[in-house]
């Protein structure tokens, strides 16, 4: 299939989840592929540091069991997702409150009944009241307003879960904060639940994100369960790299320029090919592809602590509805995924959005003491990871389907081309691989390639 002058049909620049998943789709379609990565490891921002038996994510993006691309991407069959407890745990007025999409609600009426039940009785799986020295008491639904307000929220989430993605993409677009206010939900429901939830999902505490992106995030929350990959964020790219043909991935190779038929590297000369896919972060992509827009970014700081006396919050994602400190959300990660901490120790990971305050660890400890209702004086700090360009901003107006085909032979993918989530990165790779196979097949460069999903199937997977 290859002429001797070519090392591969396609060279993929970047071994993050977008580049690796695109390589899988290309390989499955009969396209020989080489992946070049400048770092000594794969994964990009989805990396995990190992410290004394702990596995510490640098950014810790939340996944959802409702992300279609996690099931559609070749190579992820062995991925294990560890779900959080249903819904989220809100800290408000010194108490914990369980809130979330009603499970099994098949209609607005079902959602109404489910949320009314939530207001009057403990949910299945609700947290037990702590024993002496434990966390703040748990109540159901209090920050969400009255029972009627809670029912309206439940019905809205139920409708979102059942709405096709392409219909959400046709909605009028506003900044997320303005869109929520315009939809008739009470301010208490927005500020007490939706704002802290969306801040955690989008890494955007001010909710300047496009309302369409926010709707997709809420849809995934309502339709599935928030989760973490077992073993750490790095497991996802490592699975993809391990299941590619041997010799496909080359780390420690720095690409200095690209064209439609070759890639030039600093240490290894020129790689000849029939097409190039740039699958790096947005800033690196713009350096290789002059004229490509560099978005703004949301900074993220993750602070990891350990203790032998963990808070009594179970496997819950705890959000601060009061916005009373630097921590946007926190969790006892070892309760969600026991493989991330050695026996007898608890791992607590907390996320600060935006510019971290001076003395971030001390400020986080003080805030965590209030959030968990327990002393943090004896907690040990394992790591503080600050990533200035952690998540591309998706401010309105935002094109959720930015072109992945720059011209025949030159393509780009990544979370900056779609939505700035793992789902968005994987879906942009899906689109790019389909465009490459279509172009190579039309040019007669491929003799027998299995067809990739059609654009209609791609939209259904969004």
């Amino acid at each position: 299939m290859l002429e001797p002058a070519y090392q591969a049909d396609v060279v993929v620049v970047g071994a993050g989840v977008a580049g690796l998943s695109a390589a899988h789709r290309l390989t499955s379609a009969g396209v020989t592929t080489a992946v070049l990565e400048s770092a000594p490891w794969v994964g990009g921002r989805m990396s995990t540091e190992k410290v004394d038996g702990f596995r510490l994510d640098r950014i810790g993006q939340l996944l959802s069991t409702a992300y279609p691309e996690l099931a559609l991407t070749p190579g992820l069959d062995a991925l294990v997702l560890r779900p959080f407890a249903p819904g989220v745990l809100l800290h408000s007025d010194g108490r914990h409150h369980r809130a979330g999409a009603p499970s099994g609600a098949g209609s607005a009426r079902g959602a109404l009944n489910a949320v009314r039940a939530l207001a009057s009785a403990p949910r299945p799986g609700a947290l037990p009241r702590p024993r002496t020295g434990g966390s703040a008491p748990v109540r159901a639904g209090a920050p969400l307003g009255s029972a009627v307000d809670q029912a309206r929220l439940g019905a809205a989430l139920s409708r979102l879960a059942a709405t096709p993605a392409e219909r959400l993409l046709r909605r009028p677009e506003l900044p997320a904060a303005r869109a929520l206010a315009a939809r008739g939900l009470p301010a208490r429901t927005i500020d007490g639940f939706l704002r802290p939830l969306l801040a955690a999902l989008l890494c955007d505490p001010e909710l300047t994100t496009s309302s369409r992106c926010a709707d997709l995030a809420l849809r995934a929350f309502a339709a599935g369960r928030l989760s973490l990959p077992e073993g750490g964020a790095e497991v996802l790219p490592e699975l993809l790299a391990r299941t590619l043909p041997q010799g496909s991935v080359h780390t420690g190779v720095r690409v200095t320029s690209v064209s439609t038929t070759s890639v030039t590297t600093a240490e290894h000369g020129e790689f000849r090919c029939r097409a190039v896919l740039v699958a790096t972060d947005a800033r690196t992509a713009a350096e290789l592809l002059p004229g490509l827009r560099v978005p703004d970014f949301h900074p993220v700081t993750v602070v990891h602590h350990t203790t032998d006396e963990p808070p009594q919050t179970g496997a819950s994602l705890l959000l601060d509805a009061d916005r009373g400190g630097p921590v946007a959300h926190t969790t006892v990660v070892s309760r969600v995924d026991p493989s991330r901490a050695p026996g007898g120790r608890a791992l607590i990971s907390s996320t600060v959005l935006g510019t971290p305050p001076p003395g971030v660890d001390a400020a986080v400890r003080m805030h965590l003491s209030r959030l968990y209702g327990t002393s943090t004086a004896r907690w040990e700090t394992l790591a503080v990871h600050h990533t200035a360009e952690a998540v591309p901003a998706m401010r309105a107006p935002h094109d959720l389907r930015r072109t992945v085909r720059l011209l025949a032979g030159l393509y780009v993918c990544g979370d900056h081309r779609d939505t700035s989530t793992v789902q968005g990165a994987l879906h942009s790779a899906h689109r790019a691989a389909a465009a490459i196979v279509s172009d190579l097949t039309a040019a007669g460069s491929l003799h027998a390639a299995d067809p990739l999903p059609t654009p209609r199937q791609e939209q259904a997977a969004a």
Side-chain angles (χ1 to χ4, degrees):
M1 184 171 66
L2 294 178
E3 295 175 5
Y6 291 84
Q7 281 100 334
D9 281 323
V10 178
V11 171
V12 177
V13 183
V17 293
L20 292 169
S21 59
H24 260 284
R25 291 186 176 279
L26 292 168
T27 301
S28 299
V31 181
T32 60
T33 306
V35 182
L36 308 183
E37 170 57 52
S38 61
W41 56 82
V42 301
R45 285 164 290 159
M46 292 196 73
S47 62
T48 304
E49 183 184 16
K50 287 86 169 176
V51 176
D52 298 332
F54 294 92
R55 302 177 70 85
L56 314 176
D57 285 353
R58 291 187 176 275
I59 295 180
Q61 282 184 302
L62 302 171
L63 305 184
S64 170
T65 57
Y67 282 171
E69 291 293 344
L70 292 178
L72 295 174
T73 300
L76 292 182
D77 297 344
L79 179 66
V80 176
L81 294 181
R82 291 288 185 175
F84 289 88
V88 295
L89 199 62
L90 299 170
H91 181 269
S92 178
D93 297 328
R95 295 182 179 274
H96 289 160
H97 310 270
R98 175 69 62 188
S103 58
S107 63
R109 184 177 296 277
L112 174 65
N113 294 334
V115 181
R116 281 177 174 165
L118 174 62
S120 59
R123 285 183 59 138
L127 299 177
R129 290 186 177 272
R131 296 182 292 275
T132 57
S135 305
V138 177
R139 292 185 174 183
L144 306 182
S146 68
V148 173
D149 294 334
Q150 295 169 47
R152 290 170 64 190
L153 174 64
L157 290 174
S158 181
R159 287 193 300 271
L160 263 181
T163 302
E166 59 267 24
R167 188 179 301 173
L168 295 181
L169 299 182
R170 292 195 297 267
R171 284 183 169 183
E173 186 181 25
L174 291 170
R178 287 176 53 194
L180 290 175
R183 290 176 184 173
L185 291 170
R188 183 173 179 82
T189 301
I190 294 172
D191 293 334
F193 173 57
L194 292 174
R195 179 180 289 276
L197 174 62
L198 283 171
L201 298 178
L202 304 172
C203 297
D204 175 16
E206 303 308 319
L207 297 190
T208 59
T209 295
S210 161
S211 56
R212 293 172 181 170
C213 300
D215 284 342
L216 289 176
L218 287 175
R219 178 179 182 268
F221 172 79
R225 289 272 291 277
L226 295 179
S227 58
L228 298 173
E230 184 179 74
E234 71 174 13
V235 168
L236 199 154
E238 286 184 349
L239 275 175
L240 291 170
R242 251 194 333 261
T243 50
L244 282 169
Q246 187 173 5
S248 297
V249 181
H250 309 266
T251 56
V253 180
R254 184 166 57 91
V255 172
T256 57
S257 66
V258 299
S259 73
T260 58
T261 56
S262 70
V263 166
T264 304
T265 68
E267 302 88 355
H268 304 278
E270 187 179 31
F271 283 71
R272 298 280 295 163
C273 56
R274 301 180 188 275
V276 174
L277 172 60
V278 176
T280 64
D281 64 90
R283 189 171 298 282
T284 303
E287 292 170 357
L288 293 173
L289 302 167
L292 208 66
R293 183 179 67 85
V294 179
D296 293 330
F297 296 89
H298 296 303
V300 173
T301 305
V302 182
V303 184
H304 300 280
H305 294 102
T306 183
T307 178
D308 55 3
E309 298 180 357
Q312 300 298 310
T313 51
S316 298
L317 183 67
L318 175 57
L319 313 179
D320 183 17
D322 296 333
R323 305 179 77 182
V327 176
H329 58 91
T330 180
T331 188
V332 184
V333 172
S334 51
R335 291 282 177 85
V336 182
D337 177 10
S339 73
R340 299 195 186 205
R345 302 294 295 178
L347 171 62
I348 299 98
S349 298
S350 309
T351 297
V352 176
L353 301 176
T355 304
V360 61
D361 184 46
V364 165
R365 282 175 179 267
M366 186 179 301
H367 194 189
L368 292 178
S369 180
R370 296 197 302 274
L371 291 177
Y372 284 112
T374 188
S375 173
T376 60
R378 296 178 57 194
W379 290 14
E380 177 187 350
T381 303
L382 294 170
V384 178
H385 294 143
H386 176 70
T387 307
E389 297 186 350
V391 178
M394 301 179 292
R395 297 189 180 97
H398 177 74
D399 183 359
L400 279 78
R401 297 294 180 265
R402 296 185 68 193
T403 183
V404 293
R405 182 187 186 274
L406 303 182
L407 51 100
L410 195 56
Y411 309 83
V412 60
C413 70
D415 57 1
H416 52 98
R417 312 306 294 175
D418 211 281
T419 60
S420 54
T421 62
V422 172
Q423 164 67 16
L426 294 174
H427 190 246
S428 76
H430 189 154
R431 293 192 292 128
I436 292 169
V437 170
S438 175
D439 286 353
L440 291 180
T441 303
S445 300
L446 294 180
H447 300 297
D450 295 331
L452 291 181
T454 64
R456 184 180 297 274
Q457 290 172 311
E458 290 184 34
Q459 288 182 355

